[in-house]
């Protein structure tokens, strides 16, 4: 559905994926609830609608509707920068593990959603299940073929 600003109608949906620095799962899982709230608040303050989102153990998937008055790169700079400041403000001990207050990796992935919005939303919803299935399949113990059966 088209949204509107003063003199324009728009539909700008983006699939965005970004991850914490070094993909540290332990720290990320401990902060999951706080990070979700920070992302919700920051998006609300800029008028960005979260259509779908999922916090994976080592990355974040978001389907966002970003107004055309913001370019994606400036919004992502705002989102990652402010959320990192909020994380370090509440969890001061992390300042020493992450140098220069950089919680997130430098880059991110972005794709325009367009007509594929429903497929992208399904992908984000099913991503956790697929990752868990993949992890379970790779838990197989491999034996050394040269060592023989013992």
């Amino acid at each position: 559905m088209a949204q509107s600003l003063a003199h324009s109608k728009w539909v700008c949906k983006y699939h965005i994926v970004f991850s914490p620095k070094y993909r540290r799962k332990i720290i990320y899982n401990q902060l999951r609830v706080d990070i979700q709230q920070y992302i919700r608040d920051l998006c609300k303050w800029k008028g960005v609608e979260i259509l779908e989102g999922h916090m994976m153990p080592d990355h974040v998937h978001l389907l966002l509707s970003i107004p055309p008055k913001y370019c994606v790169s400036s919004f992502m700079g705002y989102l990652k920068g402010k959320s990192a400041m909020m994380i370090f403000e509440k969890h001061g001990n992390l300042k020493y593990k992450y140098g220069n207050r950089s919680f997130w990796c430098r880059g991110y992935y972005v794709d325009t959603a367009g007509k594929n919005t429903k497929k992208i939303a399904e992908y984000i919803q099913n991503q956790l299940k697929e990752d868990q299935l993949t992890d379970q399949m790779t838990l197989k113990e491999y034996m050394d073929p040269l060592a023989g059966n013992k």
Side-chain angles (χ1 to χ4, degrees):
M1 184 171 144
Q3 297 179 358
S4 63
L5 293 170
H7 301 286
S8 60
K9 296 254 186 226
W10 58 275
V11 178
C12 300
K13 297 176 186 173
Y14 302 95
H15 176 213
I16 299 172
V17 181
F18 56 100
S19 58
K21 201 166 201 163
Y22 312 119
R23 290 191 172 230
R24 291 186 174 157
K25 296 180 184 183
I26 296 169
I27 295 171
Y28 183 68
N29 283 330
Q30 293 170 350
L31 305 175
R32 181 181 217 130
V33 175
D34 291 338
I35 293 171
Q36 285 176 341
Q37 190 58 49
Y38 298 151
I39 290 174
R40 279 190 206 107
D41 291 343
L42 292 168
C43 287
K44 183 179 174 185
W45 295 338
K46 286 282 188 176
V48 172
E49 183 182 357
I50 301 174
L51 303 173
E52 192 69 44
H54 207 296
M55 306 289 279
M56 303 303 292
D58 63 348
H59 61 280
V60 178
H61 278 280
L62 294 173
L63 181 60
L64 301 176
S65 178
I66 301 174
K69 64 183 178 179
Y70 302 119
C71 67
V72 178
S73 61
S74 67
F75 176 74
M76 286 306 297
Y78 161 79
L79 183 67
K80 289 168 59 176
K82 293 293 184 187
S83 64
M85 287 173 50
M86 294 165 105
I87 289 166
F88 289 128
E89 186 176 315
K90 185 170 181 180
H91 304 279
N93 59 330
L94 295 178
K95 293 177 194 175
Y96 304 107
K97 292 183 181 178
Y98 293 94
N100 297 332
R101 291 185 172 235
S102 54
F103 182 79
W104 302 107
C105 286
R106 281 181 52 195
Y108 58 91
Y109 169 81
V110 64
D111 186 16
T112 53
K115 305 266 186 213
N116 299 328
T117 304
K118 192 179 282 186
K119 288 286 185 191
I120 291 171
E122 288 174 12
Y123 169 77
I124 292 171
Q125 291 170 355
N126 294 325
Q127 184 67 34
L128 182 62
K129 293 175 194 169
E130 290 175 17
D131 281 354
Q132 287 172 342
L133 287 173
T134 304
D135 285 346
Q136 287 177 356
M137 289 190 309
T138 60
L139 290 177
K140 179 181 174 188
E141 292 288 330
Y142 293 100
M143 63 178 238
D144 186 2
L146 301 175
N149 293 337
K150 292 183 183 178

